Amino acid sequence: RKEVEQDPGPFNVPEGATVAFNCTYSNSASQSFFWYRQDCRKEPKLLMSVYSSGNEDGRFTAQLNRASQYISLLIRDSKLSDSATYLCVGANDYKLSFGAGTTVTVRA
Amino acid sequence: GAVVSQHPSWVICKSGTSVKIECRSLDFQATTMFWYRQFPKQSLMLMATSNEGSKATYEQGVEKDKFLINHASLTLSTLTVTSAHPEDSSFYICSARFHRQGFRSSEKLFFGSGTQLSVL
């Protein structure tokens, strides 16, 4: 079983909709979590860091649930430019684990 | 600006030649560097993890003699694809991590811009 698992999607949503998806992790020693965004054939770029119970950055909200060992990403008021693959990352002092990514497509 | 520089961006080479890809962290010292491969419409696949001054740890199924990784300094790691063949054609991406044990807020992880390798 992979240490970090994501629903690959794709999530196809209309512009302006809210979309949310989860990432589960199996390593309880994971301390820090991140969401990265990757556009086609480009490098992943940091979207948000998630250190505690969760945080919000504009239209993006990340939540961490340590009891159930998952983090979530919610995108409000989706824009066409939000279409991308979103990668979940779990980290501890010794290891980084990547999810395979969730694809989101926002349509006009 | 870019904090991880990866070169070259594109490589086209003949089958049987070796190709070296460089990954540099520009404004921080990377305690760990990672190398990934990504085929079209597929997710990132971790190939190996390297810590400065030590041998790389390869993922299962990745040939260490074919994909040579050198991590000689805290700011530079190289991946050499030896005797490349068409099936090695892929998008290769590096990432560099800075992390101080016990200091979660110190975590930094950035990706290079990737190298598209095409082997003819």
Side-chain angles (χ1 to χ4, degrees), chain B residues 13-89:
Chain B
C13 67
K14 292 182 179 180
S15 185
T17 59
S18 293
V19 175
K20 180 185 279 189
I21 303 170
E22 285 192 354
C23 181
R24 292 180 185 273
S25 57
L26 298 180
D27 59 0
F28 67 99
Q29 292 185 325
T31 47
T32 309
M33 286 193 173
F34 305 88
W35 287 96
Y36 306 87
R37 182 167 51 181
Q38 187 173 37
F39 293 105
K41 297 186 179 180
Q42 294 188 22
S43 60
L44 286 172
M45 292 174 54
L46 180 64
M47 298 175 68
T49 302
S50 74
N51 294 296
E52 186 262 342
S54 62
K55 290 184 178 181
T57 301
Y58 289 81
E59 295 298 299
Q60 192 172 11
V62 178
E63 300 173 58
K64 62 180 181 180
D65 294 329
K66 182 168 183 63
F67 298 99
L68 300 178
I69 292 173
N70 184 283
H71 191 167
S73 75
L74 284 171
T75 59
L76 174 64
S77 178
T78 61
L79 167 68
T80 301
V81 183
T82 61
S83 187
H85 288 94
E87 58 266 29
D88 298 323
S89 299

Side-chain angles (χ1 to χ4, degrees), chain A residues 1-107:
Chain A
R1 182 189 172 191
K2 290 184 178 179
E3 287 200 14
V4 176
E5 299 211 48
Q6 295 182 246
D7 183 341
F11 287 78
N12 296 307
V13 299
E15 205 172 0
T18 296
V19 59
F21 42 90
N22 291 341
C23 163
T24 59
Y25 61 95
S26 59
N27 186 350
S28 58
S30 295
Q31 299 165 332
S32 305
F33 301 90
F34 309 89
W35 283 106
Y36 279 78
R37 169 200 170 119
Q38 185 181 25
D39 295 293
C40 185
R41 310 309 283 165
K42 295 195 175 176
E43 76 276 20
K45 294 189 176 178
L46 181 65
L47 180 65
M48 297 180 74
S49 302
V50 187
Y51 290 122
S52 55
S53 59
N55 47 292
E56 184 176 317
D57 182 3
R59 297 182 293 108
F60 298 85
T61 300
Q63 293 285 340
L64 168 62
N65 185 316
R66 288 194 183 275
S68 300
Q69 295 191 188
Y70 74 87
I71 65 172
S72 63
L73 182 66
L74 181 145
I75 306 173
R76 286 186 298 278
D77 188 22
S78 300
K79 311 292 185 188
L80 296 176
S81 57
D82 293 333
S83 297
T85 296
Y86 292 84
L87 302 173
C88 167
V89 179
N92 59 28
D93 284 343
Y94 307 103
K95 193 174 181 179
L96 283 173
S97 299
F98 284 80
T102 297
T103 300
V104 173
T105 303
V106 182
R107 62 183 187 274

Side-chain angles (χ1 to χ4, degrees), chain B residues 82-99:
Chain B
T82 61
S83 187
H85 288 94
E87 58 266 29
D88 298 323
S89 299
S90 185
F91 190 55
Y92 292 86
I93 307 178
C94 70
S95 67
R97 180 190 191 195
F98 171 77
H99 170 69

